[in-house]
Amino acid sequence: MADEWKSGIVWPIPSVIDPGPPTALPSPIPSDAIRLFDGKNLDAWHSGDKWLVHDGVAQVRNTDITSRESFGDCQVHLEFRTPDVVSGTGQGRGNSGIFLMGLYELQILDSFDNETYSDGQCGAIYKQHPPMVNACRKPGAWQSFDIHFQSPRFNPDGSVKRAGIIDVAHNGVAIHTAVQIAGTTAWDSPPQYLPHAATLPLRLQNHGNPVEFRNIWVRPLVPIVGSRPQ
Ligand code: MG
């Protein structure tokens, strides 16, 4: 097995806060959103048929799934819950994650009374940046991520013109604002940027835990551009 990579940065443990109770129903979907999962099936995902869809919920099975559609700058909403029957500790409890562009992981973990490294807990940019606060709900309770993502930009020579930038609300609570993503988010190697397409699929992680999802949608972010008539 490869050796674990650590950044060497010492982070405080994010304060635990109560974000308030979950909503019983999935939150409303904007009219222009692209629905990636609305409780019916995972047809919008490669390998979606490998996961279990039941009662309007998609449960992680033995593989990652990747969206058929590709996205660059985008708003993502997703709702997830970690298993109500708690098993495992640290990174082994309720672990999944959403990889923006398939490369940059926003960690999903049961971080409710479950110690792990700060930059690996729920809401962390994995191995790079902890959330400002720990806004987790109890295991088995529905939670949400609302993500605004600006993809990295590359120069023609492949160097980084501008890092990826991410804003995240966890259960409605701001946990990242304008955080620069340092690159890929591997367990065993430092972040790096290799030039890639302007849009790439989203990926949801199988980490061996039966995390469940409902209500996943995306809105590509298209800037509004003004003009000054002569
Ligand atoms: Mg993960």
Side-chain angles (χ1 to χ4, degrees):
M1 196 174 184
D3 292 331
E4 181 176 13
W5 176 82
K6 293 178 180 174
S7 72
I9 299 170
V10 178
W11 297 101
I13 296 172
S15 303
V16 173
I17 66 117
D18 179 359
T23 56
L25 295 173
S27 65
I29 303 172
S31 63
D32 65 347
I34 298 166
R35 295 169 187 234
L36 294 184
F37 180 59
D38 60 6
K40 296 187 185 80
N41 61 61
L42 288 170
D43 290 356
W45 301 81
H46 291 289
S47 300
D49 57 335
K50 307 281 197 312
W51 284 20
L52 178 69
V53 177
H54 69 95
D55 305 310
V57 168
Q59 188 180 87
V60 174
R61 283 288 193 267
N62 0 317
T63 182
D64 290 8
I65 63 173
T66 54
S67 62
R68 293 186 190 278
E69 203 162 330
S70 291
F71 304 97
D73 296 358
C74 59
Q75 173 183 1
V76 183
H77 173 87
L78 69 85
E79 298 175 27
F80 63 94
R81 62 181 177 190
T82 61
D84 56 349
V85 177
V86 170
S87 78
T89 58
Q91 293 290 305
R93 181 186 296 183
N95 194 334
S96 180
I98 176 167
F99 287 75
L100 284 313
M101 307 194 92
L103 296 167
Y104 313 114
E105 184 182 11
L106 178 66
Q107 174 73 305
I108 290 172
L109 194 74
D110 175 1
S111 289
F112 190 90
D113 199 17
N114 177 33
E115 201 173 302
T116 189
Y117 40 97
S118 294
D119 56 7
Q121 73 175 65
C122 192
I125 311 304
Y126 186 66
K127 290 267 186 182
Q128 293 182 22
H129 206 100
M132 285 189 272
V133 293
N134 179 343
C136 277
R137 293 197 177 109
K138 289 191 167 99
W142 283 108
Q143 309 195 56
S144 62
F145 278 151
D146 286 284
I147 304 164
H148 296 169
F149 173 69
Q150 298 172 68
S151 69
R153 306 295 203 264
F154 298 96
N155 293 308
D157 68 359
S159 59
V160 177
K161 185 175 180 184
R162 198 205 67 200
I165 299 170
I166 192 165
D167 296 77
V168 180
H170 181 194
N171 298 329
V173 174
I175 58 167
H176 297 295
T177 54
V179 168
Q180 292 201 17
I181 297 171
T184 47
T185 53
W187 179 80
D188 58 358
S189 56
Q192 63 169 333
Y193 272 122
L194 296 173
H196 58 62
T199 66
L200 287 169
L202 294 170
R203 178 158 61 96
L204 294 178
Q205 185 185 46
N206 161 48
H207 202 281
N209 303 141
V211 174
E212 293 182 320
F213 293 89
R214 70 178 186 188
N215 198 19
I216 307 173
W217 52 259
V218 182
R219 296 182 61 254
L221 297 176
V222 182
I224 187 163
V225 178
S227 65
R228 202 180 287 279
Q230 298 303 308

